[in-house]
Amino acid sequence: MKAGEHSTTHPSEATASDGIAPSEGVLDRALAVVEFLRANCPWDQAQTAESLIPYLIEESREVVDAIRSGDAGELEGELGDLLLNVAFQIVLAEEAGAFDRESVVDRLETKMKRRHPHLFGEGEREDWEAIKARELSDDESVLSGLPGGLEPLVRAHRIQEKLSGVGFDWDDAEGARLKVAEELEEIRTALGRGDPREVMDEAGDLLFTAVNLARLAGVHATNALARTNRKVEARFRRVEELARDGGRRVADMSLEELDALWDAVKAEARDAEEAPGG
């Protein structure tokens, strides 16, 4: 199919009988918007797949921020911005004759069926990473395919998931918990020796193991840390507010005074949680 030519058969028609509900094609409107912009706006006409990478990264991160903010209206808007970037990449590929919207959806559907054989009557349920590992060529690493730009906590989680797919994993969270205790002892020893490089290595091992513990407990370390970051920031801002109410600046207060305010803020939060409707 040439760029600009689109099948009159909706991609979902071929899969509706397999249990995938047909779509009304609403998301195609995003592609139509990009086609209009490419035809009429000089800035959009000048863009390439590579030139749009910074915007794609920025918009994906703004979606994450919106999800964590809990603001549905903000998330709605940010998802639209991200969809525009995805649509832009597809339209650019169609113009170049590299692939088209139908082939993108076809590959998605084929992959999901392959990775969920139990849902499509094609086999027994299997671990996602185990299926992916079996699809690798003989000389391909289980760890291949990890994007280079992944943040360290996310990359640690994904490494562990991939290793788990070939059975290299703890049976449960307790095994990881015991490993965390072991790593704590090792960093204590490293601190005693005073070697900064050894401390860095042991701190890395501790963090990696903590990610493993969180994963096996059913929690993503990135989400857990983000939640704690928000909690600490909110509490310390309240500490600063209480200090100002008392005519003080936190920079001029002792650790004991700051600890006292911190405990007061924690007590406020606890009381708010225990209050009816809290």
Side-chain angles (χ1 to χ4, degrees):
M1 182 178 294
K2 296 180 181 179
E5 295 181 356
H6 311 305
S7 170
T8 57
T9 302
H10 194 277
S12 63
E13 292 180 10
T15 58
S17 62
D18 295 317
I20 301 176
S23 166
E24 296 299 325
V26 174
L27 296 182
D28 285 343
R29 288 159 53 189
L31 296 165
V33 168
V34 174
E35 289 174 326
F36 177 80
L37 294 174
R38 289 283 288 174
N40 295 280
C41 175
W43 186 90
D44 292 281
Q45 290 170 350
Q47 298 312 304
T48 66
E50 186 172 7
S51 73
L52 290 169
I53 289 175
Y55 303 102
L56 181 59
I57 293 173
E58 179 181 348
E59 294 302 343
S60 65
R61 288 176 176 167
E62 289 181 355
V63 166
V64 172
D65 288 344
I67 292 171
R68 287 177 173 158
S69 75
D71 187 327
E74 182 182 358
L75 177 58
E76 180 183 38
E78 295 301 344
L79 285 173
D81 293 343
L82 181 59
L83 176 59
L84 178 67
N85 274 268
V86 173
F88 220 127
Q89 293 293 336
I90 293 174
V91 169
L92 288 172
E94 288 182 336
E95 292 176 356
F99 54 79
D100 57 40
R101 63 196 69 183
E102 281 81 12
S103 66
V104 171
V105 176
D106 286 345
R107 288 190 65 167
L108 170 63
E109 291 173 341
T110 299
K111 178 184 288 187
M112 292 304 100
K113 291 178 184 178
R114 191 171 67 247
R115 301 278 171 84
H116 300 82
H118 58 296
L119 298 180
F120 296 96
E122 298 179 2
E124 298 296 322
R125 181 169 187 164
E126 292 186 73
D127 178 77
W128 178 286
E129 292 296 340
I131 296 173
K132 291 171 66 176
R134 193 167 60 248
E135 294 171 352
L136 297 173
S137 62
D138 291 340
D139 59 350
E140 193 173 6
S141 171
V142 169
L143 298 174
S144 63
L146 285 175
L150 284 179
E151 296 176 356
L153 282 180
V154 177
R155 191 175 188 86
H157 187 101
R158 292 294 293 124
I159 288 172
Q160 292 164 12
E161 285 183 328
K162 286 182 173 292
L163 297 183
S164 180
V166 294
F168 190 59
D169 200 4
W170 300 106
D171 291 333
D172 51 39
E174 178 61 13
R177 187 192 68 79
L178 293 173
K179 185 63 176 176
V180 168
E182 178 184 323
E183 294 297 343
L184 279 170
E185 280 302 304
E186 291 183 4
I187 197 170
R188 182 186 64 79
T189 300
L191 287 168
R193 291 174 178 157
D195 183 341
R197 294 184 61 180
E198 184 182 2
V199 171
M200 178 178 289
D201 288 343
E202 295 300 342
D205 291 347
L206 176 60
L207 288 169
F208 190 86
T209 307
V211 171
N212 222 349
L213 173 58
R215 178 182 60 86
L216 288 168
V219 176
H220 200 297
T222 300
N223 291 336
L225 183 58
R227 184 181 178 89
T228 295
N229 286 343
R230 291 195 300 273
K231 178 174 63 178
V232 171
E233 288 179 28
R235 287 183 179 179
F236 198 78
R237 289 180 187 277
R238 178 59 178 153
V239 165
E240 292 174 316
E241 183 180 345
L242 291 176
R244 285 194 296 270
D245 289 345
R248 304 287 303 278
R249 296 175 64 252
V250 294
D252 300 328
M253 299 175 69
S254 67
L255 177 59
E256 290 74 15
E257 290 172 319
L258 290 173
D259 277 340
L261 288 182
W262 182 264
D263 289 340
V265 170
K266 288 176 63 177
E268 285 182 351
R270 185 168 55 251
D271 291 343
E273 291 175 357
E274 294 174 353

